[in-house]
């Protein structure tokens, strides 16, 4: 078997650290016989890459789940829900001290994002264009959508309430629902300025404080809707790298980050941008806004950044083992619960505690 990554619309040799980036690299497995053919097809028609025949099978429940790659995590009430490779979903009801695997997940593709609207109802998305829904806090999941003919992964999901939601992914893949995911409709973005087609990789979707929606994307691009997802426009941040993560603060400040430790902020809904001082070149994989106004950003090489001045400056800490951090949530008391390519991160030696 060969593993290749489609990274920024190009096929490049895989490196281990790329696998820890939930929103920058989508993976396909090919046999030796199909590798060259698939690679050639991807180069000429990247958005139409057809993968070898796949079969949807449930995620396996087993002891290896807690050491498997985790790519995203969130809170469902007081519960932590984390998702990752092979359809693995981990649950913790004691702030990350212990985990158990979800009882039933109907698909074994890699999951890249998870979002809950309350303690019970949530969605997860991932490879094979998969969209899953739970109504029991993540214990069991139902498959709402998948496409195994063309593996165009979804990278992020956000629900405004229990019926309005959006999912975004590779090469401007964009889906929306108004009925809780019973039906999903494609959203066609306009072409970016100067481009002949909408081909941006859409990495992270999140709400602003004025009722709009924001998507951080590649090439320093922000995609924004001011009318509840009806129309979309592009914002140029002035940065040229990929923006894998984003959030909005209680006062409406937008914070986005990505390659080489870059974090940018806007206090006027994207009209102007300032570069924050982070003190690191390690790429940012997630940004978390705490209820007390503290901003926590996690990234590769065990980096944890903390800001208490609305993202103007960050203090940097780093795990001694430099374990790549792929996701995190903030537990009561401000403790960071982090995840990695090898599952939940052990607290001993952790940065930012």
């Amino acid at each position: 078997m060969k593993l290749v990554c489609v990274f920024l619309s190009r096929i490049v040799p895989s490196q281990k650290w790329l696998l820890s980036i939930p929103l920058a690299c989508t993976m396909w497995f090919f046999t030796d016989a199909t590798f060259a053919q698939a690679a050639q097809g991807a180069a000429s028609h990247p958005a139409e890459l057809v993968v070898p025949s796949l079969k949807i099978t449930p995620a396996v429940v087993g002891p290896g789940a807690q050491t498997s790659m985790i790519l995203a995590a969130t809170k469902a009430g007081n519960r932590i829900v984390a998702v990752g490779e092979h359809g693995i979903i981990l649950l913790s009801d004691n702030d990350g001290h212990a985990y158990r695997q979800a009882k039933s997940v109907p698909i074994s593709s890699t999951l890249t994002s998870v979002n809950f609207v309350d303690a019970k109802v949530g969605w997860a998305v991932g490879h094979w264009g998969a969209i899953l829904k739970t109504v029991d806090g993540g214990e069991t999941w139902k498959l709402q959508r998948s496409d195994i003919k063309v593996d165009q992964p979804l990278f992020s999901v956000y629900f405004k309430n229990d019926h309005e939601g959006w999912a975004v992914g590779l090469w401007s893949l964009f889906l929306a629902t108004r009925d809780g995911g019973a039906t999903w409709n494609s959203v066609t973005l306009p072409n970016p300025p100067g481009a002949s087609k909408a081909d941006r990789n859409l990495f992270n979707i999140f709400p602003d404080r004025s009722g709009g929606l924001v998507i951080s994307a590649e090439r320093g691009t922000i995609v924004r809707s001011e009318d509840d997802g009806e129309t979309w426009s592009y914002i140029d941040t002035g940065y040229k790298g990929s923006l894998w993560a984003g959030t909005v603060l209680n006062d409406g400040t937008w914070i986005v980050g990505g390659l080489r430790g870059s974090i940018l902020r806007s206090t006027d809904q994207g009209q102007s941008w300032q570069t924050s001082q982070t003190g690191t070149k390690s790429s940012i994989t997630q940004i978390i806004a705490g209820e007390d106004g503290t901003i926590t950003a996690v990234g590769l090489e065990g980096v944890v950044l903390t800001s208490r001045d609305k993202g103007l400056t960050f203090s940097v800490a780093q795990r001694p083992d430099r374990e790549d951090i792929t996701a995190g949530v903030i537990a009561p008391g401000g403790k960071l619960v982090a995840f990695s390519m090898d599952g939940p991160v052990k607290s001993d030696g952790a940065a930012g505690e």
Side-chain angles (χ1 to χ4, degrees):
M1 301 291 285
K2 288 182 179 287
L3 169 65
V4 294
C5 291
V6 176
F7 179 65
L8 302 183
S9 304
R10 296 185 302 133
I11 288 187
V12 298
S14 171
Q15 295 184 20
K16 184 177 179 181
W17 67 267
L18 286 176
L19 302 183
S20 69
I21 305 173
L23 305 179
C25 181
T26 180
M27 296 158 281
W28 282 280
F29 288 90
F30 297 97
T31 63
D32 290 345
T34 61
F35 175 76
Q37 180 180 0
Q40 183 178 2
S44 57
H45 300 287
E48 300 176 357
L49 179 59
V50 179
V51 299
S53 297
L54 298 170
K55 181 180 179 181
I56 294 178
T57 57
V60 175
V61 177
Q66 297 197 29
T67 56
S68 296
M69 179 172 61
I70 296 297
L71 296 180
T74 192
K75 297 293 290 293
N78 293 323
R79 173 175 291 175
I80 296 174
V81 182
V83 304
E85 65 178 332
H86 305 311
I88 288 170
I89 297 179
L90 299 180
L91 311 174
S92 176
D93 292 315
N94 57 4
D95 299 327
H97 294 290
Y99 293 87
R100 68 182 188 282
Q101 196 171 353
K103 296 176 182 176
S104 175
V105 180
I107 197 167
S108 56
S109 63
T110 295
L111 301 175
T112 59
S113 179
V114 59
N115 177 245
F116 276 75
V117 295
D118 57 34
K120 296 295 184 182
V121 180
W123 285 261
V125 301
H127 289 214
W128 307 352
I131 302 178
L132 309 174
K133 181 180 181 179
T134 180
V135 295
D136 57 9
E139 298 285 358
T140 61
W141 297 77
K142 179 181 178 181
L143 183 63
Q144 291 190 321
R145 189 246 186 212
S146 66
D147 186 352
I148 59 175
K149 293 181 180 179
V150 179
D151 184 9
Q152 197 170 353
L154 291 163
F155 293 143
S156 183
V157 61
Y158 166 70
F159 268 75
K160 178 180 179 180
N161 47 49
D162 63 2
H163 55 279
E164 295 177 281
W166 299 264
V168 300
L170 187 72
W171 294 311
S172 293
L173 176 60
F174 199 162
L175 304 170
T177 182
R178 301 289 182 181
D179 56 14
T183 57
W184 287 88
N185 300 309
S186 295
V187 176
T188 301
L189 291 176
N191 297 341
S196 60
K197 60 182 178 179
D199 64 350
R200 295 289 194 267
N201 292 324
L202 308 175
F203 293 139
N204 186 207
I205 182 169
F206 57 95
D208 67 19
R209 294 292 176 180
S210 61
L213 297 166
V214 183
I215 304 170
S216 62
E218 65 175 327
R219 306 179 205 172
T221 301
I222 298 293
V223 188
R224 187 196 182 194
S225 174
E226 299 180 72
D227 53 12
D228 202 27
E230 293 297 325
T231 60
W232 296 85
S233 60
Y234 293 88
I235 297 173
D236 185 359
T237 64
Y239 176 65
K240 300 306 179 184
S242 291
L243 297 170
W244 295 328
T247 192
V248 62
L249 307 186
N250 289 333
D251 68 352
T253 299
W254 296 2
I255 306 287
V256 295
L259 281 172
R260 295 182 59 79
S262 297
I263 292 181
L264 294 85
R265 65 191 298 271
S266 175
T267 58
D268 53 15
Q269 298 187 323
Q271 296 182 52
S272 61
W273 293 87
Q274 302 84 41
T275 300
S276 301
Q277 299 301 314
T278 64
T280 182
K281 295 296 184 182
S282 297
S283 296
I284 305 302
T285 55
Q286 187 176 0
I287 302 172
I288 311 159
E291 292 297 329
D292 63 352
T294 299
I295 305 169
T296 303
V298 299
L300 302 185
E301 300 179 301
V303 162
V304 177
L305 304 176
T306 304
S307 174
R308 293 182 171 84
D309 57 8
K310 300 181 180 181
L312 285 169
T313 61
F314 286 82
S315 60
V316 59
Q318 188 170 37
R319 289 179 58 87
D321 58 12
R322 299 202 172 194
E323 184 171 16
D324 294 331
I325 302 176
T326 55
V329 298
I330 303 300
K335 176 187 176 183
L336 172 67
V337 180
F339 300 88
S340 73
M341 288 169 46
D342 300 314
V345 173
K346 295 180 180 179
S347 60
D348 55 312
E353 290 192 348

